[in-house]
Amino acid sequence: FPQTASFGSQTLVNVERIEVLRGPSAVLYGSGAFGGTINRVSKKPLPQQKTTIRGQVDSNELYTFSIDTGGPINLGAPEFVRDDRGRSKFGYRLNLLYADGFDFRDLKRGNKVIAPTFAWDLTRKTKLIVEYAYQQELRVGNCENPVQGGHPEYIVVGNGTVRPVDRSIFLGPEAG
């Protein structure tokens, strides 16, 4: 599920797992929500080279393509690069995502993500990890309601044209 916020959604392409800590988060982190805390654990470099390529097309014609690759980095002299067990001290992980298409209202939507991670084993028990994520998202704003000029009787559709809203159609939950 997309984790929407006031400035868009957060990508999950570079997330290994999501941990949900149930209960009052104030116990761990000071004043906070009663429901709990969500922790996103990002993907770390792999000990062996591995690449995964995925493609997906959904029913709204949103095309998604992603690459997840990582492994050891072998640089310089062998004594500098390898630890006492013969493994590389440096590793990388690169996650890429490209999505392009339309949402369920036939409005243009897209996403581009570049998320590299680098790791350096300083000692047997100390590791330096540097992570970065760049996301460029194209989606309709204005609280997910594509109104034209602040007037709710007109909406903007996918090709950029403006259509009047049929007020006889109810788009909310049905009364039960």
Side-chain angles (χ1 to χ4, degrees):
F1 298 106
Q3 302 293 308
T4 57
S6 60
F7 296 110
S9 63
Q10 298 175 0
T11 184
L12 298 177
V13 71
N14 64 335
V15 174
E16 186 75 37
R17 68 180 184 277
I18 297 176
E19 299 171 344
V20 178
L21 306 173
R22 296 181 353 185
S25 61
V27 172
L28 299 173
Y29 304 108
S31 63
F34 292 108
T37 301
I38 296 175
N39 182 31
R40 292 175 190 87
V41 179
S42 59
K43 294 178 180 177
K44 303 294 186 261
L46 302 168
Q48 303 293 328
Q49 183 66 39
K50 181 179 177 183
T51 300
T52 305
I53 300 172
R54 291 192 175 121
Q56 176 182 339
V57 178
D58 71 7
S59 60
N60 297 317
E61 295 183 20
L62 179 67
Y63 300 92
T64 305
F65 179 74
S66 65
I67 298 174
D68 179 5
T69 186
I73 300 173
N74 296 315
L75 309 163
E79 64 274 0
F80 178 72
V81 175
R82 303 209 176 272
D83 61 12
D84 57 352
R85 293 172 277 179
R87 297 184 307 180
S88 176
K89 290 184 179 183
F90 298 95
Y92 79 98
R93 186 94 178 243
L94 178 62
N95 290 280
L96 304 170
L97 174 95
Y98 177 80
D100 188 27
F102 299 92
D103 67 4
F104 66 95
R105 291 171 296 198
D106 201 28
L107 296 168
K108 188 75 174 148
R109 182 171 183 165
N111 202 355
K112 297 174 189 170
V113 178
I114 300 171
T117 302
F118 299 97
W120 178 16
D121 292 335
L122 298 169
T123 66
R124 194 175 268 220
K125 294 184 179 181
T126 306
K127 183 181 282 193
L128 175 67
I129 299 175
V130 178
E131 299 176 353
Y132 179 77
Y134 170 80
Q135 178 176 358
Q136 181 182 19
E137 186 175 23
L138 171 65
R139 62 189 284 177
V140 175
N142 199 9
C143 300
E144 299 298 324
N145 189 7
V147 298
Q148 173 64 22
H151 302 290
E153 55 272 353
Y154 296 100
I155 64 170
V156 180
V157 293
N159 61 6
T161 61
V162 178
R163 286 191 195 161
V165 174
D166 183 0
R167 292 183 166 234
S168 65
I169 298 174
F170 180 68
L171 299 175
E174 298 205 18

